[in-house]
Amino acid sequence: KYLEERNVKINLGTPCRDIVHEVDKDGKPVRVSGIKVGANDELREFDVVVCALDVPGIKKVLPDSFRKYPMFDNIYNLDTVPIATVQVRFDGWVTEMNDETLMMKTDGDFSDGKAPGIDNLLYSADAEFSCFADLALTSPGEYYKQGEGSLIQAVFDERAFSRSNEQIVEDCIKQINSLFPSSKKLNCTWSSVVKLGQSLYREKPGQDKFRPKQATPIENFFLAGSYTYQDYLDSMEGATRSGLMVADEIIARADGPNGLAAKAKATKEGIAFA
């Protein structure tokens, strides 16, 4: 609704089939004119194109000619890791460690996010999941259920990927109990496991030099996504930051006699632009 109120059109069921572009005499792309979408390769023309994808997505959509630029070619050096995202719901509040009565209290309405426990994203070096949170606390509007307690979401690394869903849930509960010993008194009431074979890029020494900036050598083609170079790790926060940064890049290039708007107008009018 927020986007639609600002004249943004969201197209569902229209996957990008090709990025239509012009090339110079050496075959290097110089300008993107639009994208082909849908089953019939419908051409849609745009003045500016922002490609907001994850690492597997950007590798699939970039035309081969783009790899003539080192910035695009470097993206293919980024590897991805498999992960398993686990959600486990309990009949009490896992991260409430000071008051057992509060830990067991699920009667009443905690939809305001003021249930007992820690309302934050958590990290641990003592578990197979690098980060986790109680979604019933951090995002009660979406995840709190009256009469229920914590909904812990934990992201397991590739060590757990080959295990069965049942084993992953069992391991998750065991490690939660280790981090919060008082939670051993709680029971799991529901669980879910979602595995992604290709997720975030593999964070290892030397990877930053492969991460592209938001502005590219193609003047009207931009990148966004948490894998692009920004202040945060490959994460939701990083993706949001990249979106803000790409907006700044476009705004900075939009106006003026040599700006994106002037060049787009000249192209539509068939005027050569030096």
Side-chain angles (χ1 to χ4, degrees), residues 129-146:
F129 40 87
S130 57
C131 62
F132 62 104
D134 186 343
L135 298 184
L137 270 167
T138 61
S139 305
E142 291 78 22
Y143 296 106
Y144 169 71
K145 288 181 66 175
Q146 193 161 0

Side-chain angles (χ1 to χ4, degrees), residues 4-59:
E4 290 174 344
E5 287 175 349
R6 287 156 177 79
N7 298 319
V8 174
K9 185 176 181 181
I10 300 173
N11 296 284
L12 303 176
T14 51
C16 176
R17 303 297 185 186
D18 191 21
I19 298 174
V20 182
H21 59 282
E22 304 164 7
V23 298
D24 63 14
K25 59 183 178 62
D26 297 318
K28 285 187 173 182
V30 293
R31 184 178 180 277
V32 170
S33 56
I35 58 176
K36 289 183 177 180
V37 299
N40 298 320
D41 287 349
E42 177 189 351
L43 175 62
R44 297 187 181 180
E45 297 181 319
F46 300 97
D47 298 338
V48 172
V49 172
V50 179
C51 199
L53 293 168
D54 57 7
V55 172
I58 192 65
K59 288 181 178 180

Side-chain angles (χ1 to χ4, degrees), residues 16 18 70 96 117 173 184 238 250:
C16 176
D18 191 21
E96 174 52 55
I173 295 172
K184 294 177 182 178
I250 295 170

Side-chain angles (χ1 to χ4, degrees), residues 250-265 273:
I250 295 170
I251 291 170
R253 292 164 171 75
D255 299 325
N258 294 309
L260 293 171
K263 290 186 177 182
K265 182 179 179 181
F273 210 103

